[in-house]
């Protein structure tokens, strides 16, 4: 396949960039038989959307975010590249061994195995506060704030809550709430923010951006949770907020 110089320039620029600029937009990596990486995606959270519905040997799976797709590829030694886009009405991740079969495709993107957000927990910024009252994100957190601690005791319109599971719970809620771009945790109190992070030194505060999150949080429930945990009271987020470490 012939690649025009301008496209090759975009690829080179992406390869030298950090997340998310390292991904190539509006492009897809085809498998074409030779480049599709078939592996057991169940162990990485791929439970549906797989090739022939067999997630124990598949090059694709339903996936909630490009960050998750890149992180999964990085965890599989044979995976060299990943592609993310919509198929059959849902967002999917495809695993590839090469970028030789690239094509233009609106809405798709791809990256190398090293194109992913900083992995958990290294992405957490210690002794750093990420936001201020001006960037506070007020949302309905009734499905997440299972320990309360909401502003004015109203969890249907709050930017703060008591995290069930410390920094994991705080990061997970930010990932699931529309509009949240970063979070900060002081003791057990989680605060959600929108807009551009404005980090400043603050002893004892831990913070992260939206994609600074444990990999299993991208899924509705964790991979292989202890029996009965996913059905615990609260909401779909209860399992990962309640202390399960994977």
């Amino acid at each position: 396949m012939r690649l025009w110089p301008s496209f090759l320039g975009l690829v080179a620029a992406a390869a030298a960039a950090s997340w998310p600029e390292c991904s190539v937009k509006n492009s897809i990596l085809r498998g074409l038989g030779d480049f599709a990486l078939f592996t057991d995606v169940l162990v990485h959270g791929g439970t549906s959307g797989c090739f022939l519905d067999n997630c124990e040997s598949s090059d694709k799976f339903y996936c909630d975010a490009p960050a998750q797709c890149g992180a999964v590829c990085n965890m599989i030694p044979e995976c060299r590249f990943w592609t993310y886009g919509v198929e059959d009405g849902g967002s999917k991740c495809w695993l590839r061994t090469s970028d030789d079969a690239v094509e233009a495709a609106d809405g798709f993107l791809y990256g190398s195995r090293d194109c992913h957000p900083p992995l958990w927990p290294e992405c957490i910024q210690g002794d750093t506060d990420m936001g201020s009252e001006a960037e506070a994100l007020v949302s309905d957190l009734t499905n997440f704030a299972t320990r309360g601690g909401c502003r004015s005791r109203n969890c249907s319109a709050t930017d703060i809550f008591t995290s069930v599971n410390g920094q994991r719970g705080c990061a997970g809620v930010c990932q699931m709430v529309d509009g949240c771009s970063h979070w900060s945790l002081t003791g057990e109190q989680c605060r959600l923010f929108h807009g551009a992070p404005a980090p400043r030194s603050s002893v004892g505060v831990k913070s992260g951006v939206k994609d600074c999150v444990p990999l299993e949080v991208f899924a509705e429930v964790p991979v292989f949770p202890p029996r009965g945990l996913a059905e615990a009271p609260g909401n779909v987020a209860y399992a990962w907020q309640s202390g399960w470490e994977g």
Side-chain angles (χ1 to χ4, degrees):
M1 176 176 294
R2 184 177 183 182
L3 298 178
W4 298 105
S6 59
F7 182 80
L8 291 174
L10 290 174
V11 174
S18 58
W19 178 264
E21 290 76 16
C22 55
S23 62
V24 179
K25 309 299 189 297
N26 295 318
S27 302
I28 187 173
L29 297 180
R30 299 292 185 186
L32 300 182
D34 294 331
F35 310 127
L37 174 61
F38 283 81
T39 188
D40 185 353
V41 298
L42 276 173
V43 298
H44 301 292
T47 59
S48 59
C50 300
F51 182 74
L52 298 179
D53 293 325
N54 180 11
C55 292
E56 293 183 336
S57 179
S58 180
D59 67 324
K60 62 182 179 179
F61 57 96
Y62 282 130
C63 177
D64 287 341
Q68 178 191 12
C69 188
V72 168
C73 179
N74 183 262
M75 296 171 66
I76 301 173
E78 298 82 7
C79 185
R80 310 309 301 172
F81 295 89
W82 55 270
T83 280
Y84 183 85
V86 175
E87 181 185 63
D88 300 330
S91 298
K92 286 187 179 183
C93 175
W94 287 263
L95 307 177
R96 299 290 182 248
T97 59
S98 171
D99 63 347
D100 284 352
V102 59
E103 295 180 5
D106 289 343
F108 282 76
L109 69 158
Y110 78 88
S112 72
R113 62 177 287 108
D114 295 321
C115 181
H116 58 80
L119 297 179
W120 183 273
E122 288 76 15
C123 58
I124 299 171
Q125 299 184 41
D127 294 329
T128 300
D129 198 326
M130 275 285 196
S132 64
E133 291 297 323
E135 291 86 37
L137 176 66
V138 177
S139 303
D140 183 353
L141 301 182
T142 52
N143 286 332
F144 301 102
T146 56
R147 286 184 58 189
C150 301
R151 189 175 297 279
S152 301
R153 298 184 178 179
N154 180 12
C155 292
S156 65
T158 185
D159 59 310
I160 63 175
F161 67 97
T162 300
S163 176
V164 172
N165 192 19
Q167 59 204 26
R168 292 171 62 89
C170 189
V173 170
C174 182
Q175 176 60 223
M176 291 186 173
V177 171
D178 290 340
C180 184
S181 59
H182 49 291
W183 54 270
S184 289
L185 183 73
T186 305
E188 293 184 335
Q189 184 189 74
C190 178
R191 291 172 293 142
L192 305 181
F193 305 102
H194 64 91
R200 65 183 186 277
S201 178
S202 184
V203 176
V205 180
K206 298 178 181 179
S207 300
V209 297
K210 187 181 187 77
D211 286 330
C212 178
V213 64
L215 184 59
E216 69 270 12
V217 171
F218 284 110
E220 287 187 345
V221 294
V223 181
F224 305 139
R227 183 179 301 275
L229 186 56
E231 291 78 34
N235 48 72
V236 297
Y238 183 91
W240 54 260
Q241 281 211 75
S242 61
W244 178 72
E245 294 294 332

